[in-house]
Amino acid sequence: MIILRTSPTSPYGRKARIAAAVLGLEDQIKVDWADTRASEGSLYEQNPLAKVPTLLLENGEIVYDSRVALELLDTLAGSGKIIPAGEARISALTKQAMADGITDAAIQAQIETRNHPEEHWNAVWIERQQGKVNRTLKAFNDQPLPTPAQTNGIPDCAQIALACSLGYLDLRANGDWRRENPELVRWHDAFVEQVPAYNETLAPEMLERS
């Protein structure tokens, strides 16, 4: 049994949880919640970065981060399922990096606003991070990814990453991304409808709002 250490609200851990579900690997993986806010403890011992997701394999090997986790899960499922082979591979991995970049920048902005009183916010830093988010959202809106139904019903790594990034923006940024990105909204709605694991991995806060 592989142990997946993550937190209920982590968009990166959610990527791994959705990937495991769409690959049919849920019965091989045990989710173990980790306290990512703790300054010490088992997560630090397992991963010097103390970040999630962290996967503990049966042979004692420890795997991180989310992109490597998806590579591992895809390999366990026979390869080429959520990470395409051949020429399509680099494109999918690049778009996964773009989607993760949305989350990275959004988290950086959130750290600034949540950890300091407003009078001490670094407005230039926040604007820079928000600019990264907005530009990448526009790129995905202008050239939408295919929906899972258009890729044989199984989402690839880029689609999973983008859905999780948008879910994080719904959770932490009030869903403001929706106003300027109608094509992306339609894409997200299709992903939610076509991938049941999306709703099955909603953060508790989102469940309380629904």
Side-chain angles (χ1 to χ4, degrees):
M1 181 72 71
I2 296 173
I3 297 175
L4 168 59
R5 304 221 63 203
T6 186
S7 70
T9 58
S10 168
Y12 306 111
R14 191 180 191 188
K15 283 175 59 182
R17 294 166 65 199
I18 290 176
V22 301
L23 291 169
L25 298 174
E26 288 178 298
D27 61 345
Q28 300 180 39
I29 296 174
K30 176 184 177 183
V31 176
D32 182 30
W33 301 129
D35 184 357
T36 57
R37 294 169 296 182
S39 57
E40 59 183 14
S42 60
L43 187 60
Y44 278 80
E45 297 166 3
Q46 296 156 352
N47 179 347
L49 296 171
K51 297 173 73 173
V52 295
T54 293
L55 275 66
L56 314 180
L57 308 188
E58 292 178 328
N59 64 3
E61 187 177 354
I62 300 176
V63 171
Y64 42 84
D65 60 4
S66 68
R67 296 178 213 178
V68 182
L70 264 60
E71 288 266 11
L72 171 68
L73 295 173
D74 190 59
T75 300
L76 291 175
S79 298
K81 308 292 186 181
I82 61 172
I83 300 179
E87 295 181 0
R89 175 182 173 83
I90 295 301
S91 177
L93 292 176
T94 299
K95 289 181 171 61
Q96 178 184 201
M98 286 175 60
D100 284 344
I102 293 173
T103 304
D104 295 342
I107 288 175
Q108 288 300 313
Q110 283 287 317
I111 289 173
E112 182 68 21
T113 57
R114 294 176 69 181
N115 291 355
H116 307 289
E118 186 171 357
E119 61 268 22
H120 295 305
W121 288 356
N122 185 332
V124 174
W125 175 256
I126 295 171
E127 183 178 357
R128 183 178 302 164
Q129 301 311 311
Q130 192 59 51
K132 295 177 183 180
V133 171
N134 292 341
R135 288 192 301 273
T136 312
L137 288 172
K138 185 178 186 305
F140 279 122
N141 184 75
D142 292 349
Q143 293 185 305
L145 296 178
T147 66
Q150 294 169 325
T151 51
N152 299 320
I154 298 179
D156 67 17
C157 59
Q159 294 167 337
I160 293 170
L162 180 57
C164 291
S165 293
L166 299 177
Y168 181 79
L169 295 179
D170 279 337
L171 177 64
R172 298 297 188 211
N174 303 313
D176 291 345
W177 65 273
R178 296 172 176 273
R179 289 199 298 268
E180 303 296 328
N181 300 284
E183 295 301 321
L184 200 48
V185 171
R186 279 189 278 274
W187 179 89
H188 180 262
D189 289 346
F191 186 98
V192 173
E193 180 180 353
Q194 296 165 17
V195 183
Y198 184 87
N199 281 330
E200 293 167 0
T201 56
L202 282 172
E205 291 96 322
M206 297 301 289
L207 289 172
E208 290 170 3
R209 297 176 194 174
S210 61

